[in-house]
């Protein structure tokens, strides 16, 4: 099926049909304009896409990070043969922990993995994740973003269910299973970018994208908060069974309720299609322009953006994968406390990301500030605030309340990056934003295994305050350096190669399109 046939024009015609690749049959239009979805008469189908896309990202991020909490219960604790506190970081905090030796949260783990082995396992997801970033955009355009997104989540869900069995077989079977999960999840961001481009009117892009991609932060919250409770009550394997089953169930809702384009939806109204297409300033057949690879790869702004994205992901994955270990080994929180406290910073991030996106949109539509100024303001908050807070954590010592507050503020304010560098791809090139995101996200996600490996190397000599001080100061320095790179070497201006549309069409309407475009991609 060609792209012209898939995307069609701004009118609904009875001849459109969607081939269902797996079932090998076609779904015909039914034009049930009064269809009820979840009890809502005449539900607008683009917002159904947003809702299911949001829960899709909740699922994949929950499955991505649940191992970080489960690892605390899976690994055998170091037994101490004396009552001295030599070599135990923040020993005085142990006195304040409730004595619950009968609780499963204090039972010994099943695996004897040292810090380096744990880091390899935690980072293995990204061995597969980086591979499918760039191909994901290509397959989304050629074979359909809806099916690619759904199948990607389904693969991740199935192999999440297999995780406990792989762990029993050994380290390398577990590494392979996690890497395959990464292969499946790697296509989700490119596929969702394509769907938002087809379904979102320009004046709704910020809201639609903000809701969809904030599923990643909510997924972190859900996984961190529930994984500790599930592990404590049902055992650590149940973490993977529950989240895996939820992902499989979600897949069926997605595949049967979401369609590739508005024109292909059997129950959408003509009014909604017109609203979407007129809101995109499009008419007639939409064609995919060829990507100007030479101009893109020769752009110094792109490579500055790659460095910025790399720095963001270094800090993000250092905390995402290692925070539960720090809370358990240094601050001595039990697994229930660990999960809730690990979730709190990401709850703040979800709230502040939405809040900051509305402020950025308001500043942009006011016309008082250039887009470069707005982006660099918000990106400075997103990078330099965490740099300060994480740097302070390195010197606080054994004060859990202060540390939790600093980490929460750090991760929360980092949510401003959604209105900073993370939208710059769209500012530079609305038509090739998916390609730009694929390039920067592919390289940036190398930190998914580099950051855990670095932490494992540093703490291999022991879980001490000094070793973690090195980890936090490194993260702080990376934020500062890459934040400065963005401020001095990146641009949010439309690039000469950034649009394939004829020059005469670049009128006030297109300028308005640029003003309102803030597609928010959570590049994890």
């Amino acid at each position: 099926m060609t792209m012209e046939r898939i995307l069609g024009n701004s009118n609904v015609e009875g001849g459109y049909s969607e081939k269902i690749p797996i079932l090998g049959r076609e779904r015909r239009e039914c034009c049930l304009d009064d269809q009820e979805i979840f009890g809502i008469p005449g539900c607008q189908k683009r917002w159904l896409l947003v809702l299911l896309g949001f829960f899709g990202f909740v699922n994949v991020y929950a499955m991505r990070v649940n191992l970080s909490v489960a690892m605390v219960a899976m690994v055998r604790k170091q037994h101490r043969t004396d009552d001295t506190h030599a070599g135990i970081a923040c020993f005085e905090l142990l006195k304040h922990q409730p004595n619950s030796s009968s609780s499963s949260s204090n039972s010994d783990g099943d695996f004897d993995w040292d810090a380096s082995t744990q880091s390899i396992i935690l980072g293995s997801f990204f061995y597969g994740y980086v591979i499918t970033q760039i191909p994901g955009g290509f397959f989304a355009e050629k074979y359909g973003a809806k099916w690619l997104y759904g199948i990607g989540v389904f693969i991740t869900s199935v192999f999440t269910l297999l995780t406990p069995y792989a762990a029993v077989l050994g380290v390398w079977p577990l590494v392979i299973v996690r890497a395959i999960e990464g292969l499946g999840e790697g296509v989700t961001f490119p596929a969702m970018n394509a769907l938002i481009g087809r379904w979102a009117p320009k004046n709704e892009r910020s809201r639609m994208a903000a809701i969809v991609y904030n599923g990643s932060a909510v997924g972190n919250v859900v996984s961190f908060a529930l994984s500790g409770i599930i592990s404590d009550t049902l055992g650590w394997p149940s973490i993977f069974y529950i989240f895996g089953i939820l992902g499989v169930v979600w897949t069926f809702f997605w595949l049967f309720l979401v369609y590739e384009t508005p024109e292909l939806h059997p129950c959408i109204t003509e009014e909604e299609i017109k609203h979407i297409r007129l809101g995109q300033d499009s008419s007639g057949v939409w064609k995919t322009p060829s990507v100007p690879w030479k101009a893109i790869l020769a752009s110094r702004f792109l490579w500055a953006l790659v460095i910025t994205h790399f720095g963001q992901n270094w800090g993000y994955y250092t905390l995402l994968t290692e925070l539960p270990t720090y809370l358990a080994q240094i601050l001595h929180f039990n697994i229930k406390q660990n999960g809730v406290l690990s979730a709190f910073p990401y709850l703040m991030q979800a709230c502040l990301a939405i809040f900051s996106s509305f402020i950025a949109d308001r500043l942009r539509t006011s016309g008082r500030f250039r887009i470069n100024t707005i982006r660099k303001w918000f990106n400075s908050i997103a990078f330099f605030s965490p740099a300060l807070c994480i740097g302070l954590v390195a010197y606080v010592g054994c004060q859990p309340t202060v540390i939790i507050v600093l980490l929460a503020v750090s991760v929360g304010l980092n949510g401003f990056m959604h209105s900073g560098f993370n939208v710059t791809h769209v500012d530079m090139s609305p038509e090739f934003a998916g390609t730009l995101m694929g390039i920067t996200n592919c390289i940036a996600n190398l930190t998914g295994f580099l950051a855990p490996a670095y932490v494992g190397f540093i703490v291999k000599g022991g879980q001490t305050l000094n070793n973690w001080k090195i980890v936090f100061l490194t993260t702080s320095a990376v934020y500062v350096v890459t934040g400065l790179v963005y401020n001095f070497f990146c641009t949010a201006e439309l690039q000469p190669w950034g649009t394939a549309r004829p020059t005469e069409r670049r009128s006030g309407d297109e300028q308005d399109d640029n003003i309102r475009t803030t597609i928010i991609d959570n590049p994890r």
Side-chain angles (χ1 to χ4, degrees):
M1 185 180 293
T2 64
M3 283 303 301
E4 290 84 359
R5 180 67 180 273
I6 291 177
L7 291 173
N9 53 39
S10 59
N11 297 319
V12 179
E13 297 181 6
Y16 281 109
S17 61
E18 178 179 15
K19 179 72 74 177
I20 302 178
I22 292 178
L23 301 181
R25 60 184 177 86
E26 293 185 344
R27 183 185 298 279
R28 295 290 179 183
E29 291 182 337
C30 58
C31 298
L32 301 177
D33 295 344
D34 58 349
Q35 182 192 35
E36 290 191 2
I37 301 294
F38 302 129
I40 304 175
C43 176
Q44 293 180 323
K45 304 308 179 286
R46 65 189 185 279
W47 292 106
L48 179 60
L49 167 73
V50 168
L51 179 65
L52 288 173
F54 167 82
F55 281 112
F57 278 110
V58 170
N59 278 320
V60 293
Y61 267 76
M63 290 184 285
R64 181 191 300 196
V65 306
N66 57 15
L67 182 60
S68 297
V69 177
M71 188 74 74
V72 176
M74 294 169 68
V75 178
R76 293 194 183 107
K77 313 300 184 295
Q78 293 182 352
H79 297 285
R80 305 181 180 97
T81 57
D82 55 60
D83 295 330
T84 67
H85 60 272
I88 304 175
C90 298
F91 177 79
E92 63 274 17
L93 297 180
L94 287 173
K95 300 176 182 178
H96 302 291
Q97 294 299 320
N99 183 17
S100 56
S101 59
S102 62
S103 173
S104 63
S105 64
N106 289 319
S107 62
D108 209 2
D110 296 318
F111 307 103
D112 188 16
W113 296 332
D114 61 19
S116 295
T117 302
Q118 293 178 51
S119 297
I120 292 172
I121 294 170
L122 289 172
S124 60
F125 172 92
F126 298 93
Y127 301 155
Y129 189 70
V130 299
I131 294 174
T132 50
Q133 290 293 319
I134 296 177
F138 170 77
F139 288 123
E141 295 294 336
K142 186 172 179 63
Y143 299 109
K146 162 198 165 176
W147 284 94
L148 187 66
Y149 186 80
I151 293 173
V153 177
F154 182 75
I155 290 173
T156 305
S157 304
V158 170
F159 281 87
T160 295
L161 291 169
L162 297 177
T163 299
Y165 302 101
V168 172
L169 291 176
V171 170
W172 291 110
L174 179 57
V175 166
I176 292 171
V177 165
R178 289 289 292 179
I180 295 174
E181 287 183 46
L183 286 172
E185 191 171 327
V187 303
T188 54
F189 274 99
M192 184 53 66
N193 264 347
L195 286 169
I196 289 177
R198 296 168 188 173
W199 278 85
K202 64 184 181 183
N203 62 346
E204 294 178 0
R205 285 174 182 162
S206 293
R207 282 168 286 169
M208 291 176 69
I211 294 171
V212 168
Y213 291 122
N214 243 352
S216 60
V218 175
N220 291 338
V221 172
V222 170
S223 187
F224 278 133
L226 296 185
S227 293
I229 297 173
I230 294 171
S231 176
D232 189 71
T233 55
L234 301 176
W236 65 262
S238 299
I239 297 174
F240 303 100
Y241 298 146
I242 290 173
F243 286 117
I245 291 172
L246 289 175
V248 171
V249 171
W250 171 91
T251 301
F252 288 98
F253 281 97
W254 173 265
L255 294 181
F256 288 99
L257 293 178
V258 171
Y259 288 81
E260 194 70 36
T261 67
E263 288 80 9
L264 290 176
H265 201 295
C267 305
I268 196 171
T269 63
E270 287 199 38
E271 288 75 14
E272 185 174 0
I273 289 183
K274 289 178 181 179
H275 175 75
I276 294 170
R277 291 302 179 223
L278 292 176
Q280 295 175 329
D281 292 331
S282 64
S283 61
V285 176
W286 185 91
K287 296 182 179 180
T288 305
S290 44
V291 179
W293 287 106
K294 184 177 180 180
I296 289 176
L297 296 177
S299 172
R300 67 182 186 276
F301 301 123
L302 170 69
W303 295 107
L305 193 58
V306 167
I307 294 172
T308 305
H309 202 160
F310 187 93
Q312 159 62 26
N313 280 21
W314 180 279
Y316 182 83
Y317 287 130
T318 296
L319 294 181
L320 186 70
T321 59
E322 302 298 334
L323 183 56
T325 299
Y326 173 77
L327 294 177
Q329 298 293 335
I330 303 299
L331 301 184
H332 305 293
F333 288 111
N334 63 44
I335 196 166
K336 283 184 179 180
Q337 297 169 319
N338 196 322
V340 173
L341 292 173
S342 295
F344 180 59
Y346 296 97
L347 179 61
M348 284 194 64
Q349 186 181 80
C351 297
L352 289 178
I354 294 290
F355 173 73
S356 62
S357 69
F358 277 100
I359 295 177
D361 276 352
R362 186 67 63 88
L363 291 174
R364 196 172 186 182
T365 53
S366 72
R368 297 171 58 191
F369 304 99
R370 293 180 58 196
I371 184 58
N372 257 337
T373 303
I374 297 172
R375 293 288 177 249
K376 291 178 181 181
W377 280 351
F378 280 76
N379 205 69
S380 294
I381 295 173
F383 276 56
F384 300 142
S385 298
L388 175 62
C389 292
I390 293 173
L392 290 175
V393 170
Y395 293 98
V396 166
C398 301
Q399 301 182 52
T401 302
V402 176
I403 290 172
I404 294 301
V405 170
L406 286 172
L407 290 175
V409 172
S410 170
V411 175
L413 290 177
N414 186 240
F416 276 65
M417 61 91 178
H418 290 301
S419 300
F421 91 90
N422 209 32
V423 223
T424 303
H425 309 76
V426 183
D427 297 323
M428 291 172 62
S429 174
E431 295 184 33
F432 305 115
T435 298
L436 298 184
M437 177 58 71
I439 294 171
T440 67
N441 209 29
C442 175
I443 298 174
N445 274 288
L446 294 174
T447 60
F449 51 83
L450 292 178
Y454 174 76
V455 174
F457 173 77
I458 295 298
V459 303
K460 190 174 183 179
Q463 296 283 351
T464 66
L465 286 174
N466 282 336
N467 285 342
W468 278 98
K469 180 178 180 180
I470 295 172
V471 171
F472 290 131
L473 290 180
T474 301
T475 303
S476 179
V478 169
Y479 269 130
V480 170
V481 172
T482 55
L484 290 173
V485 166
Y486 182 83
N487 284 351
F488 286 106
F489 300 107
C490 283
T491 182
E493 303 291 345
L494 179 68
Q495 296 301 290
W497 44 264
T499 179
R501 286 177 285 180
T503 304
E504 60 268 22
R505 291 185 60 190
R506 297 175 61 186
S507 59
D509 288 340
E510 180 176 302
Q511 294 174 7
D512 181 67
D513 184 44
N514 286 335
I515 288 175
R516 295 177 182 274
T517 300
T518 52
I519 292 183
I520 300 172
D521 306 315
N522 196 351
R524 305 292 167 262

